[in-house]
């Protein structure tokens, strides 16, 4: 029979995710599948949790990968922390803030949103004002807005909430592994991420961590968590020393995440973040040299997700198609109000290498000339 998989080409993934996967991670996925309660696999799980804590800069006991992509991490946070009628504030300046509002609303929360122009950051003073008007059970924000390339002031917003009863929930899907995330120092109570952005794994797992405050909130629920699969108490029972079966862990994806974390810790997070910043600077210099304008103000740009306005007279979609077909490079287009107007160029994890920036700039120059 014909095998479709034989037709898979090597594509340089420079979009908003998934990112390029290093060979060691592919090898990890190909290792022998163990039972999900096998004693050796349990040891791998324990070490993986420890590595995740290191990268997140947290001591949180509950630090585990959720089975599912980044959005499953988002859903797991909200579904466990919200009860119907809870007051929730979502800070929105892109697609993933909008998604948070959608998820929270479906759970019967009373959702307020503070919205900011896409391509600009959340304004801390506006958040402070809102918090004086009303007390919230949860305040949620996206650290790295992948739809626009903006880095939000997560630390400063956390400072506003310190000492309060409010749960601080942060999306670190695109930030983790590309820029520093200091969960405990920044006062973050609940956080989720994803494997296919700067962790450079295929998509499939969503690292998640809950502080003691978030765990206490979970314990004080008056209603049951309305979603069985994502019920953190049940998942924690499997990932803790109790080892109670809940659902079969995606064993080989756990290997992949383990290996990906190991690679980051071996290179050293400081060096990994520097590699992201260095390649980002090189890319911006190249784009501006070609006359392109960046979307986001210099002070709030994400190194791993670069947005540039598509030059006038260039067909945005046609250029991307040409990059993919002629040069085997994938980049992303704009979303929402930015659709058709911008390019999103990812330098996530393993993708963030000088030779990739050079290859891309070379190709783009030919495509738009
Ligand atoms: C990609 C992304 C998500 C969603 O992750 P999926 O893996 O696509 O479910 C959520 N938040 C941000 C900031 C993202 O970049």
């Amino acid at each position: 029979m014909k095998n479709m998989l034989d037709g898979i080409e090597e594509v340089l993934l420079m979009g908003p995710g998934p990112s390029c996967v290093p060979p060691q991670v592919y090898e990890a996925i190909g290792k022998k599948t163990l039972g999900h309660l096998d004693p050796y696999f349990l040891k791998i799980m324990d070490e993986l949790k420890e590595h995740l804590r290191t990268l997140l800069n947290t001591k949180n006991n509950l630090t585990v990968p959720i089975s599912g992509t980044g959005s499953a991490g988002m859903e797991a946070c909200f579904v466990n922390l919200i009860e119907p009628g809870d007051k929730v504030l979502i800070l929105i300046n892109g697609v993933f803030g909008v998604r948070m509002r959608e998820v929270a609303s479906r759970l019967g929360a009373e959702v307020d949103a503070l919205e900011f122009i896409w391509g600009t950051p959340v304004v801390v003073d506006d958040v402070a004002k809102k918090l004086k008007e009303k007390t919230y059970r949860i305040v949620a924000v996206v650290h790295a807005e992948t739809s626009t390339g903006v880095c939000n002031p997560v630390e400063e917003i956390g400072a506003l909430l310190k000492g309060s009863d409010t749960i601080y929930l942060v999306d670190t899907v695109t930030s983790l592994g590309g820029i520093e995330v200091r969960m405990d120092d920044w006062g973050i109570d609940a956080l989720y991420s994803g494997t296919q952005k700067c962790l450079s794994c295929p998509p499939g797992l969503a690292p998640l961590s809950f502080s003691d405050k978030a765990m206490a909130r979970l314990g004080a629920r008056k209603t049951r968590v309305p979603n069985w699969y994502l019920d953190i108490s049940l998942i924690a029972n499997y990932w803790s020393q109790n080892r109670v079966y809940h659902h079969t862990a995606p064993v080989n994806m756990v290997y992949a995440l383990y290996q990906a974390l190991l690679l980051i810790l071996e290179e050293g997070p400081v060096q990994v973040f520097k590699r992201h910043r260095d390649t980002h600077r090189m890319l911006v210099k190249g784009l501006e040299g070609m006359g392109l304008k960046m979307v986001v103000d210099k002070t709030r740009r994400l190194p791993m997700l670069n947005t540039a306005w598509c030059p006038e007279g260039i067909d945005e979609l046609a250029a991307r198609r040409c990059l993919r077909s002629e040069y085997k490079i994938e980049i992303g287009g704009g979303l929402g109000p930015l659709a058709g107007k911008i390019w999103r160029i990812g330098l996530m994890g393993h993708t963030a290498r000088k030779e990739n920036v050079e290859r891309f700039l070379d190709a783009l120059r030919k495509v738009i000339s």
Side-chain angles (χ1 to χ4, degrees):
M1 265 170 88
K2 168 182 142 190
N3 187 342
M4 287 296 292
L5 303 181
D6 293 336
I8 296 176
E9 296 179 312
E10 176 130 25
V11 176
L12 174 55
L13 297 172
M14 288 187 79
S19 57
C20 295
V21 176
Q24 297 96 321
V25 172
Y26 284 131
E27 278 163 30
I29 294 179
K31 297 240 181 230
K32 299 280 180 289
T33 302
L34 288 171
H36 64 286
L37 290 169
D38 184 280
Y40 196 79
F41 182 64
L42 300 179
K43 284 188 196 159
I44 295 175
M45 288 165 64
D46 286 345
E47 270 205 25
L48 183 151
K49 287 194 291 184
E50 210 41 61
H51 294 336
L52 258 184
R53 284 189 198 103
T54 304
L55 192 60
L56 290 169
N57 289 292
T58 185
K59 293 195 169 64
N60 291 341
N61 194 30
L62 190 108
T63 304
V64 299
I66 298 293
S67 308
T69 64
S71 305
M74 184 189 291
E75 189 105 42
C77 284
F78 282 110
V79 86
N80 280 278
L81 294 171
I82 285 181
E83 291 195 82
D86 279 356
K87 294 177 178 60
V88 175
L89 177 64
I90 317 271
L91 309 173
I92 301 178
N93 59 344
V95 164
F96 295 103
V98 170
R99 186 173 297 181
M100 281 181 159
R101 176 171 60 189
E102 171 71 20
V103 171
S105 306
R106 287 184 185 214
L107 296 166
E110 188 187 296
V111 182
D112 287 348
L114 259 185
E115 298 196 47
F116 303 86
I117 296 167
W118 290 32
T120 72
V122 168
V123 177
V124 180
D125 286 348
D126 292 1
V127 180
K129 219 168 96 196
K130 192 81 185 166
L131 292 176
K132 284 200 185 95
E133 289 165 13
K134 197 163 162 182
T135 305
Y136 289 97
R137 239 173 142 61
I138 299 176
V139 170
V141 69
V142 176
H143 189 194
E145 225 338 319
T146 323
S147 60
T148 65
V150 166
C151 183
N152 278 322
V154 164
E155 182 176 5
E156 290 83 350
I157 297 163
L160 299 175
L161 295 167
K162 271 204 179 144
S164 73
D165 285 335
T166 305
I167 295 281
Y168 186 30
L169 197 172
V170 179
D171 173 317
T172 64
V173 175
T174 283
S175 52
L176 190 66
I179 52 177
E180 193 169 52
V181 174
R182 303 198 66 85
M183 183 164 191
D184 293 356
D185 292 347
W186 297 348
I188 301 171
D189 296 300
L191 161 161
Y192 60 90
S193 190
T195 44
Q196 80 274 26
K197 311 276 167 98
C198 292
L199 299 179
S200 276
C201 267
L205 289 176
L208 172 147
S209 185
F210 274 18
S211 70
D212 290 344
K213 188 167 139 193
M215 291 308 282
R217 174 64 53 83
L218 196 55
R221 285 185 69 104
K222 295 182 197 76
T223 57
R224 289 218 295 177
V225 173
N227 182 309
W228 179 85
Y229 193 77
L230 296 174
D231 187 323
I232 288 297
S233 309
L234 302 178
I235 293 169
N237 241 347
Y238 168 60
W239 280 85
S240 72
Q241 298 313 312
N242 301 343
R243 315 291 190 191
V244 178
Y245 163 72
H246 175 246
H247 66 271
T248 310
V251 171
N252 293 56
M253 268 311 293
V254 171
Y255 300 163
L257 178 58
Y258 176 89
Q259 179 64 64
L261 290 169
L262 208 61
L263 287 174
I264 291 173
L265 297 180
E266 280 170 355
E267 184 179 349
V270 171
Q271 176 54 34
V272 171
F273 303 152
K274 182 177 180 296
R275 180 161 51 74
H276 281 83
R277 283 195 309 273
D278 289 349
T279 48
H280 158 74
R281 281 199 203 100
M282 190 178 160
L283 176 70
V284 171
K285 199 170 161 216
L287 291 171
E288 289 180 340
M290 262 181 254
L292 272 75
K293 301 237 174 339
M294 301 304 288
V295 175
V296 178
D297 184 77
K298 198 172 175 184
T299 58
R300 302 292 346 166
R301 282 178 200 157
L302 289 170
M304 73 288 278
L305 197 285
N306 302 271
T307 45
W309 297 103
C310 174
E312 218 157 304
I314 300 287
D315 182 335
E316 185 277 309
L317 182 60
R320 265 191 295 139
R321 285 201 176 133
C322 179
L323 278 170
R324 172 64 182 85
S325 60
E326 300 292 315
Y327 299 94
K328 316 287 175 224
I329 299 173
E330 175 181 284
I331 64 167
L335 297 172
L338 298 171
K341 297 179 184 163
I342 66 165
W343 286 317
R344 292 188 295 154
I345 305 149
L347 289 171
M348 297 180 174
H350 190 60
T351 302
R353 295 178 192 280
K354 282 190 178 141
E355 57 271 27
N356 293 339
V357 176
E358 278 163 9
R359 182 174 149 196
F360 166 73
L361 287 171
D362 224 45
L364 185 69
R365 207 171 282 121
K366 289 178 187 136
V367 167
I368 65 175
S369 65

